[in-house]
Amino acid sequence: MMIVMKQDATAEEVQAVIGRIESVGARAHPSRGDEVTVIGAIGDLEHIARLELDGSPGVDRVVPILKPYKLASAQIRHGERSVLEIGGRKIGGPHFALIAGPCTVESRDQTMTTAYAVRDAGATMLRGGAYKPRTSPYAFQGLGQEGLRLLAEAKEATGLPIVTELMDARDLEPVLEVADVIQVGARNMQNYALLAEIGRSGCPALIKRGLSSTLEELLMAAEYVLKEGNENVILCERGIRTFETAYRFTLDLTAIPVLKELSHLPVVVDPSHAAGRRDLVEPLSLAAAAAGADGVIVEVHPAPEEAVCDGPQQLRAHEFARYADQVERAAAVAGKAFRAATTV
Ligand code: PEP
Ligand code: MN
């Protein structure tokens, strides 16, 4: 249920409603908008209905949330977009995030060269995997803790917040030491225990859409994190499986406006994993930015030919500044900027 408070409701009235919701074992999720405060009441519907909050002091109306994802729904924020603040950077609303970095952390030199290149080009955050989900168990699985150490060094040197993947809840503690955003990979999108653990950690999460997942399933994955009281969730479209074999995955650009209609959460696009080819990354990034994405997350490497994984799709570090200029122009078409948002 969603309790919409009156415009002139007092803080005490809001608190009283929250107290009553919690008194029946339900959870209250207040969101204070510019105009009104809305309180999401998540729990046993009958118990909440019995409270008869309609007509309580300060309450304007009580409306059911019809979607199965409650906290992720656009309804709960009354149509307002969530703007997340991560390491001094904003994402969502007018703030576009250019997240860039290597597929995987391979060495100190590779990580630092890439980090400086993307920072100098105005990137918002640095991505890089220390734990890699690989289709083959024989493929390079990431540097693990050593990779995290290198990411920490890159963060210290550039000031860029770090986006890195967590695959196994047992690695949560070391990942939390460096991650500003924990990435949930496409293959783990429905790993509910992992999602709940990240929710409890309070660390912002970037959840990638599964290869064959519907938007509703993606939003339900986000709900697992939100339900634990962690409001910092970013949705990521990264291409889905279709009958087409000419490229790695089909980037579902339609997901951008539709997710933004269904949810208040920021939506970013990963054109690198969708395309699997460097030459497609820029046109797809421009399309995503112009279509209103709240950011892109792209792979960059100083020497993609030598990359341990995903070489063919990684942008060349020395070409990244030109790419960033193009993305900035496309983002402006949708009324978004990222360079201004990078100043702390
Ligand atoms: C990645 O971002 O490094 C990655 C493996 O992506 P995905 O989970 O989308 O395949
Ligand atoms: Mn990759």
Side-chain angles (χ1 to χ4, degrees), residues 25-110:
R27 256 182 136 130
H29 298 266
S31 92
R32 292 171 176 91
D34 283 342
E35 309 229 312
V36 291
T37 294
V38 176
I39 306 166
I42 311 295
D44 189 305
L45 259 186
E46 270 182 35
H47 290 176
I48 299 166
R50 235 179 281 141
L51 289 172
E52 295 186 354
L53 290 166
D54 234 336
S56 299
V59 172
D60 182 34
R61 59 190 191 281
V62 177
V63 279
I65 303 173
L66 301 172
K67 302 286 189 200
Y69 44 88
K70 311 291 179 190
L71 301 168
S73 71
Q75 203 189 344
I76 202 155
R77 285 289 161 87
H78 231 56
E80 267 184 44
R81 307 237 35 97
S82 276
V83 176
L84 313 189
E85 195 153 348
I86 295 160
R89 271 66 170 182
K90 287 184 176 161
I91 173 168
H95 310 282
F96 188 89
L98 177 59
I99 307 169
C103 172
T104 182
V105 174
E106 299 168 16
S107 68
R108 184 171 184 277
D109 191 34
Q110 170 248 13

Side-chain angles (χ1 to χ4, degrees), residues 82 84 204-207 222-223 225-226 230-235 265-266:
S82 276
L84 313 189
L206 182 148
I207 307 178
E223 194 76 8
V225 176
L226 297 165
N230 184 345
E231 296 189 345
N232 297 313
V233 178
I234 301 165
L235 305 169
L265 297 170

Side-chain angles (χ1 to χ4, degrees), residues 107-323:
S107 68
R108 184 171 184 277
D109 191 34
Q110 170 248 13
T111 305
M112 298 306 284
T113 305
T114 312
Y116 283 123
V118 302
R119 196 270 315 261
D120 292 348
T124 321
M125 298 184 218
L126 177 69
R127 65 146 286 152
Y131 298 96
K132 295 303 299 177
R134 305 303 302 278
T135 303
S136 165
Y138 305 112
F140 176 66
Q141 304 287 310
L143 288 181
Q145 300 242 9
E146 170 61 7
L148 293 176
R149 206 193 56 69
L150 292 171
L151 286 172
E153 194 178 332
K155 176 170 161 173
E156 171 78 25
T158 62
L160 290 176
I162 301 292
V163 181
T164 196
E165 179 157 352
L166 175 70
M167 288 172 48
D168 185 328
R170 288 172 292 187
D171 299 315
L172 181 63
E173 247 178 70
V175 166
L176 278 177
E177 275 175 36
V178 60
D180 295 283
V181 177
I182 294 180
Q183 176 174 317
V184 177
R187 290 153 192 86
N188 262 322
M189 189 205 86
Q190 288 182 311
N191 183 338
Y192 299 123
L194 186 66
L195 292 165
E197 200 67 49
I198 294 169
R200 285 189 285 275
S201 79
C203 183
L206 182 148
I207 307 178
K208 295 188 128 190
R209 180 182 182 182
L211 320 185
S212 310
S213 299
T214 64
L215 296 186
E216 183 163 306
E217 286 164 341
L218 173 60
L219 290 165
M220 292 308 277
E223 194 76 8
Y224 269 90
V225 176
L226 297 165
K227 181 176 173 286
E228 300 300 331
N230 184 345
E231 296 189 345
N232 297 313
V233 178
I234 301 165
L235 305 169
C236 180
E237 161 61 36
R238 48 78 73 208
I240 51 173
R241 277 241 158 93
T242 68
F243 52 81
E244 186 53 71
T245 54
Y247 32 84
R248 209 170 172 191
F249 295 95
T250 299
L251 185 63
D252 180 9
L253 288 172
T254 314
I256 302 166
V258 174
L259 281 173
K260 293 181 73 173
E261 178 195 354
L262 298 174
S263 175
H264 57 89
L265 297 170
V267 177
V268 304
V269 168
D270 174 346
S272 306
H273 289 90
R277 273 169 45 185
R278 184 175 312 114
D279 61 325
L280 298 180
V281 172
E282 184 169 322
L284 294 179
S285 303
L286 301 187
D294 296 301
V296 290
I297 175 166
V298 284
E299 292 189 340
V300 185
H301 196 285
E305 290 71 19
E306 291 159 26
V308 172
C309 64
D310 285 348
Q313 73 197 28
Q314 302 209 50
L315 297 176
R316 297 180 200 286
H318 72 271
E319 289 171 359
F320 185 74
R322 194 201 55 78
Y323 161 87

